[in-house]
């Protein structure tokens, strides 16, 4: 019997191996990444197209086309599609991503052959019904009105526009006008140009068998039109750091966003900046959380994030605080930035952060669907499958000196844009 009076030994993680991923090709050339893992008779298929914002010819065409894919096809309307999927205990989602358009089918193995053709039809022959488009526009405008009453949403919209510009795919903000300017032809054009076999990858995970792969090829290996691989040219208008105060006199709290434009995951400084982000505000044990939440009690949540897209990125700090705490919160945020430039992180803090990162890496390979998410990241960001091992090695090699060097390079107040939204903006 185990002795439960003694805690188990803590084992240091020194190596994490990426599971073997088989890469096949359908008859039409679409690459398929096979994550054959798990014992449950369940499958997940994700079909990914390079069809997000950077590829638009009309603002919001990517969101509109993704949202309406399930709202009708050549043979089914939206209710009939939903009823068939429900009957077989399956789900079909069209999650929206900034850079990609995706469809995700979850099914039991025994019903896979019944629901896979529905996925194929949604991809190949969506009808984009006019009445569904008008309903989508109406819902979106209503949701937008609600969102614009939230200080944190307004602050995020404003600071990302500062980073990239009001007309950049990563910087433009949706408005009632841009939604109302969407037409069915815009969605059809977006779909016909980008939902092609040459612009597509498939990731299948779970209890994958030879029969399942044959069914996948029969359905998706034919009938998806060929097309051109499109590389967008994104023009970022460089702008100096800006500071904007948006006064909302009736607000009980003020939203704060502070940050700067960065880069994608291929930049040589991306990993070092991601480590610095974690130390500053990237997890519950971070500097900002300890100071401003735990010690000062100014907020329930404060964080920093390093947001990497395919072609660019940004870093920002976000929180909402009582109006009377705006000034000191700003002071404390910049104080923590200064500390990271002037003082070395101690070994205990570094070890806690390192264990947090390595634990997250382990989670990434825990089960077939988590592995599929990791594969999705690597494939869509054009990263090698050795990236996980490389990241583990670099995490183990992080030093207090390397963190300080990155802080001195990037956490400079003169580089930061600021947005404050709320009553506290009056005094900020």
């Amino acid at each position: 019997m185990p002795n439960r009076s003694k805690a188990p030994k803590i084992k240091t993680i020194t190596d994490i191996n990426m599971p073997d991923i088989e890469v096949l090709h359908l008859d039409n050339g679409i690459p398929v990444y096979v994550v054959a893992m798990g014992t449950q008779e369940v499958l997940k298929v994700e079909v990914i197209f390079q069809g997000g914002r950077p590829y638009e010819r009309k603002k919001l065409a990517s969101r509109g086309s993704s949202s309406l894919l399930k709202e009708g096809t050549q043979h089914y309307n939206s209710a009939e599609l939903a009823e068939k999927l429900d009957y077989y205990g399956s789900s079909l989602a069209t999650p929206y991503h900034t850079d990609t358009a995706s469809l995700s089918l979850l099914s039991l193995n025994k019903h896979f052959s019944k629901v896979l053709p529905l996925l194929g039809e949604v991809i190949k022959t969506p009808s984009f019904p006019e009445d569904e488009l008008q309903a989508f526009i109406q819902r979106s405008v209503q949701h937008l009105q609600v969102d614009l009453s939230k200080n944190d949403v307004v602050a995020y919209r404003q600071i990302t526009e500062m980073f990239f510009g009001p007309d950049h795919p990563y910087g433009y903000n949706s408005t009632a006008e841009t939604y109302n300017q969407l037409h069915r032809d815009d969605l059809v054009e977006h779909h016909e140009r980008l939902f092609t076999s040459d612009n597509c990858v498939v990731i299948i995970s779970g209890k994958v068998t030879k029969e399942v792969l044959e069914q996948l090829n029969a359905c998706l290996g034919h009938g998806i039109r060929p097309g051109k691989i499109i590389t967008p040219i994104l023009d970022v208008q460089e702008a100096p750091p800006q500071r904007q105060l948006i006064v909302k006199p009736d607000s009980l709290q003020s939203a704060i966003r502070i940050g700067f434009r960065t880069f994608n995951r291929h930049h040589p400084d991306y990993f070092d900046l991601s480590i610095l982000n974690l130390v500053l505000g990237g997890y519950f044990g971070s500097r900002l959380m300890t100071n401003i939440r735990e010690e000062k009690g100014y907020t329930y949540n404060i964080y920093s994030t390093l947001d990497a897209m395919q072609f660019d990125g940004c870093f920002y700090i976000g929180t909402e605080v009582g109006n009377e705490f705006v000034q000191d919160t700003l002071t404390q945020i910049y104080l923590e930035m200064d500390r990271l430039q002037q003082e070395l992180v101690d070994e205990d803090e570094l070890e806690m952060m390192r264990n947090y990162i390595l634990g997250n890496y382990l989670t990434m390979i825990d089960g077939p669907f988590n592995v599929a998410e990791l594969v999705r990241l690597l494939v869509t960001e054009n990263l090698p499958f050795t990236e996980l091992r490389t990241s583990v090695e670099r995490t183990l090699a992080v030093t207090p000196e390397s963190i300080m060097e990155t802080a001195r390079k990037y956490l400079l107040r003169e580089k930061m844009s600021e947005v404050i939204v709320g009553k506290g903006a009056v005094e900020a």
Side-chain angles (χ1 to χ4, degrees), residues 56-157:
E56 292 176 332
R57 289 179 177 170
K58 182 78 168 284
K59 288 181 179 179
L60 296 178
S62 61
R63 181 181 287 276
S65 59
S66 290
S67 297
L68 265 70
L69 281 173
K70 298 191 301 176
E71 301 304 323
T73 67
Q74 182 177 1
H75 297 109
Y76 302 100
N77 61 34
S78 58
E80 291 168 339
L81 276 170
E83 184 179 356
K84 278 187 169 292
L85 289 164
D86 286 345
Y87 180 80
Y88 291 110
S90 302
S91 66
L92 177 60
T94 54
Y96 179 75
H97 300 277
T98 303
D99 291 301
T100 60
S102 301
L103 301 96
S104 179
L105 175 68
L106 193 63
S107 169
L108 296 173
N109 281 59
K110 63 181 179 180
H111 296 318
F112 187 65
S113 62
K114 303 292 194 308
V115 296
L116 182 61
L118 299 177
L119 171 65
E121 185 153 335
V122 167
I123 294 171
K124 299 171 191 176
T125 61
S127 57
F128 299 118
E130 181 64 33
D131 60 336
E132 295 288 357
L133 172 59
Q134 295 308 314
F136 163 75
I137 292 172
Q138 183 178 8
R139 289 193 307 271
S140 299
V141 171
Q142 290 173 346
H143 290 160
L144 180 62
Q145 290 173 343
V146 174
D147 285 343
L148 291 179
S149 68
K150 301 174 182 177
N151 290 353
D152 60 328
V153 173
V154 174
Y156 173 78
R157 285 163 58 95

Side-chain angles (χ1 to χ4, degrees), residues 29 125 139 203 245 251 391 417-418:
T125 61
R139 289 193 307 271
I203 302 170
L245 313 178
S251 298
S391 296
S417 289
E418 292 180 9

Side-chain angles (χ1 to χ4, degrees), residues 45 54 65 86 102 213 252 262 319 362 417:
V45 178
S65 59
D86 286 345
S102 301
L213 293 175
L252 297 177
T262 56
T319 189
L362 282 177
S417 289

